[in-house]
């Protein structure tokens, strides 16, 4: 009986160990962000919000946060538009061409960020384009586009082609079929894919390091601060970054759930 009981408990123990391995370091970062002392030693010496106040009143941190939001929003919007058009086009090309086109679209996923950053830097220099937040946003589109396309294509492939054919038999144009049939069934998932692009852009470091100008983004400021010294203000800033990522994940989950409901509603009607 004891052997059987231990076998039943083993999966739960393995799950607990994996979760601890994944989230315990994050918990430590969050914990020290509330440390009243400037030292990063246990036990912490009281709880305080002084480091959050220091971050939110420091122009370097607030400027980096603003820059990251600008880049992430811009790249997410462009990625969503281009990725939706590309995914819609892939679902309507002959099947013999789809694998070859997919290889071209998904190639950036297989390339290291270091290689992409160097390649884009050389490309911008060749075109004599001054490095700025907009070159960062353009580079992030290259990086996030395949991930969005993967999400968009997966949802478009699940749509029954009979809906599109029925709309075509009723005289609807390609644009009308897309806006009245395809988009109502897919828009929540497309928004979720856009949020995924936002998160990937917001956290990106390697590509940003090569193609940014005199400005800084959140990952670059954290990297620069950690090279000088590590204090709880970095933990506080990292916790705020974690909060943005977590809220984005919540939005993705809610929108994806709304997408499933929307597809059921359209099918039922």
């Amino acid at each position: 009986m004891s052997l059987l009981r231990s076998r039943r408990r083993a999966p739960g123990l393995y799950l607990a160990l994996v979760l601890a391995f994944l989230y315990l370091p994050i918990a430590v970062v969050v914990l020290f962000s509330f440390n009243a002392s400037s030292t990063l030693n246990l036990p912490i010496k009281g709880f305080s919000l002084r480091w959050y106040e220091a971050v939110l009143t420091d122009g370097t941190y607030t400027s980096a946060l603003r820059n990251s939001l600008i880049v992430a929003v811009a790249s997410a919007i462009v990625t969503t538009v281009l990725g939706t058009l590309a995914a819609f086009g892939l679902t309507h090309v002959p099947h013999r061409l789809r694998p070859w086109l997919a290889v071209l679209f998904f190639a950036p996923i297989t390339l290291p960020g270091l290689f992409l950053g160097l390649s884009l830097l050389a490309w911008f220099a060749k075109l004599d384009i001054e490095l700025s937040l907009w070159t960062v946003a353009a580079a992030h589109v290259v990086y996030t586009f395949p991930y969005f396309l993967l999400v968009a294509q997966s949802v478009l492939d699940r749509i029954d082609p009979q809906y599109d054919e029925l709309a075509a038999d009723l005289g609807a144009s390609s644009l009308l079929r897309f806006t009245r049939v395809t988009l109502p069934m897919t828009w929540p998932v497309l928004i979720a894919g856009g949020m995924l692009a936002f998160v990937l852009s917001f956290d990106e470091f390697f590509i940003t390091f090569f193609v940014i100008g005199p400005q800084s983004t959140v990952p670059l400021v954290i990297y620069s601060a950690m090279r000088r010294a590590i204090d709880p203000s970095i933990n506080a800033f990292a916790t705020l970054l974690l909060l943005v990522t977590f809220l984005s994940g919540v939005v993705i989950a809610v929108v994806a759930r709304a997408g499933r409901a929307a597809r059921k509603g359209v099918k039922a009607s």
Side-chain angles (χ1 to χ4, degrees), residues 107-121:
I109 292 181
T110 64
L111 301 176
L114 181 65
F115 177 83
L116 283 176
L118 285 172
S119 300
L120 289 168
L121 175 61

Side-chain angles (χ1 to χ4, degrees), residues 13-32:
L13 178 61
Y14 298 152
L15 180 61
L17 290 175
V18 171
L19 291 176
F21 176 79
L22 292 175
Y23 291 104
L24 189 58
I26 298 176
V28 171
V29 170
V30 175
L31 178 64
F32 277 111

Side-chain angles (χ1 to χ4, degrees), residues 71-82:
V71 170
V73 170
S75 61
I77 292 174
V78 175
T79 298
T80 301
V81 174
L82 296 181

Side-chain angles (χ1 to χ4, degrees), residues 113-118 120-121 124 131 205-213 220:
L114 181 65
F115 177 83
L116 283 176
L118 285 172
L120 289 168
L121 175 61
F124 291 140
L131 298 181
F205 172 78
F206 288 105
I207 298 175
T208 306
F209 183 81
F210 287 98
V211 299
I212 198 169
L220 293 180

Side-chain angles (χ1 to χ4, degrees), residues 24-76:
L24 189 58
I26 298 176
V28 171
V29 170
V30 175
L31 178 64
F32 277 111
S33 70
F34 295 99
N35 190 8
S37 173
S38 59
T39 61
L40 299 177
N41 298 320
L42 289 173
I44 62 174
K45 300 177 181 179
F47 287 86
S48 174
L49 296 176
R50 57 178 291 199
W51 304 111
Y52 287 94
E53 181 181 359
V55 165
L56 295 176
T57 56
D58 190 325
T60 301
Y61 288 114
T62 55
S63 176
L65 182 60
R66 182 176 63 252
N67 292 338
S68 289
L69 289 174
I70 291 173
V71 170
V73 170
S75 61

Side-chain angles (χ1 to χ4, degrees), residues 223-263:
Y223 172 74
S224 177
M226 291 184 65
R227 293 185 64 183
R228 298 191 303 268
I230 299 179
D231 59 62
S233 64
I234 300 176
N235 294 61
F237 197 44
T239 302
L240 293 176
L241 176 62
L242 176 65
L243 180 62
V244 172
T245 305
F246 174 76
L247 292 178
S248 301
V250 171
V251 172
I252 292 174
V254 171
V255 172
R257 184 175 181 180
R260 290 192 294 268
R263 288 195 300 272

